Amino acid sequence: MTRQTLADQVYDRVVEAIVVGDIEAGSAISENEVAVRFGVSRGPAREAIFRLEAKGLVTRAAHYGARVVDLTLGDLQGLFEIREGLEGMACRLAAARMSDAELDELERKLSLHASQPGIASGQSYYQPGGDQDFHLSIAAASHNPRLLRTLSGDLYDVMRVYRFRSSARPGRTLEALDEHKAIVAALRSRNPDAAEAAMRRHIQSSWSNIHNTFKDLA
């Protein structure tokens, strides 16, 4: 097990705060604010913000300082187009390559998700980052390291922010859960075409939901 540094811990906590909206998109973020909020010195806070910038979760502009990313609808459309292609391919590969044990573990994760109060009540679909993330688990099961690195890199945490925000739209949480179940069923059938199609439908549905969410906020 890899031991986390204090900066790693602060970074993870800030990411989760951004994902669930405790730190709002578009809001200013500073070393001092992070240090005070999480009870650490400014050194780990500074390193965490640098890493947030590298991941695309924070942007910095002259005279304005650092701010949490707040993507336009056009930016998001581009991300979802990339995501549909890459995750569709990851799901196709996983259908052919993942072990029965990996499939069992994916189903276990989905069962844990379904038991969360927020998901069971239809309020929002929160997925912990890393190994517990449904989509990242499928990318790992593709057994294509380059594809996994791409999907877990700059795309990953930014997409988590908008996945979570859009999941609060009425009806979307349980709909997304059903789509995940359909993906697992396609993977279990070992049908690459069906698996890719199920993932693409899910991401298209997610994009439609985010698009409608943005329109409602306009």
Side-chain angles (χ1 to χ4, degrees):
M1 180 176 179
T2 303
R3 183 176 180 180
Q4 282 193 315
T5 66
L6 182 56
D8 292 334
Q9 296 172 34
V10 174
Y11 170 79
D12 287 345
R13 292 174 69 188
V14 176
V15 167
E16 294 308 308
I18 292 172
V19 167
V20 303
D22 289 342
I23 299 177
E24 294 183 355
S27 64
I29 187 168
S30 67
E31 295 170 17
N32 187 60
E33 175 192 353
V34 170
V36 170
R37 184 184 186 107
F38 297 104
V40 297
S41 66
R42 292 184 65 167
R46 183 183 308 114
E47 184 176 337
I49 290 177
F50 284 152
R51 290 176 59 186
L52 290 166
E53 284 186 75
K55 281 283 193 176
L57 277 172
V58 163
T59 59
R60 193 183 296 271
H63 311 300
Y64 292 98
R67 288 188 174 275
V68 176
V69 67
D70 191 13
L71 298 183
T72 66
L73 194 58
D75 291 331
L76 279 170
Q77 182 174 3
L79 282 178
F80 267 81
E81 288 169 351
I82 293 169
R83 185 183 169 206
E84 182 185 335
L86 293 179
E87 291 204 40
M89 177 56 67
C91 208
R92 166 176 285 277
L93 294 175
R97 297 176 179 177
M98 71 190 305
S99 66
D100 289 341
E102 286 175 314
L103 266 169
D104 292 343
E105 177 63 12
L106 187 65
E107 288 186 323
R108 186 192 69 80
K109 289 174 186 176
L110 198 55
S111 294
L112 287 175
H113 291 178
S115 68
Q116 291 177 10
I119 296 176
S121 65
Q123 292 179 336
S124 63
Y125 198 149
Y126 170 74
Q127 294 186 57
D131 292 344
Q132 294 306 308
D133 186 286
F134 180 82
H135 289 264
L136 208 57
S137 297
I138 292 174
S142 74
H143 295 283
N144 182 320
R146 289 184 181 274
L147 184 55
L148 175 59
R149 284 198 298 271
T150 300
L151 286 169
S152 61
D154 292 351
L155 285 173
Y156 178 61
D157 285 320
V158 173
M159 291 307 308
R160 285 186 68 216
V161 172
Y162 288 90
R163 271 169 33 193
F164 182 83
R165 286 174 62 181
S166 66
S167 75
R169 187 179 175 88
R172 178 56 190 162
T173 294
L174 297 180
E175 182 181 71
L177 182 63
D178 285 343
E179 289 166 6
H180 282 180
K181 290 177 181 177
I183 290 168
V184 171
L187 289 169
R188 184 66 77 179
S189 74
R190 300 295 186 177
N191 185 324
D193 289 339
E196 179 175 2
M199 179 61 80
R200 284 181 174 270
R201 282 194 299 271
H202 170 55
I203 294 175
Q204 289 165 4
S205 181
S206 296
W207 163 243
S208 177
N209 182 62
I210 283 182
H211 186 266
N212 290 332
T213 299
F214 265 71
K215 286 197 300 184
D216 290 347
L217 294 174

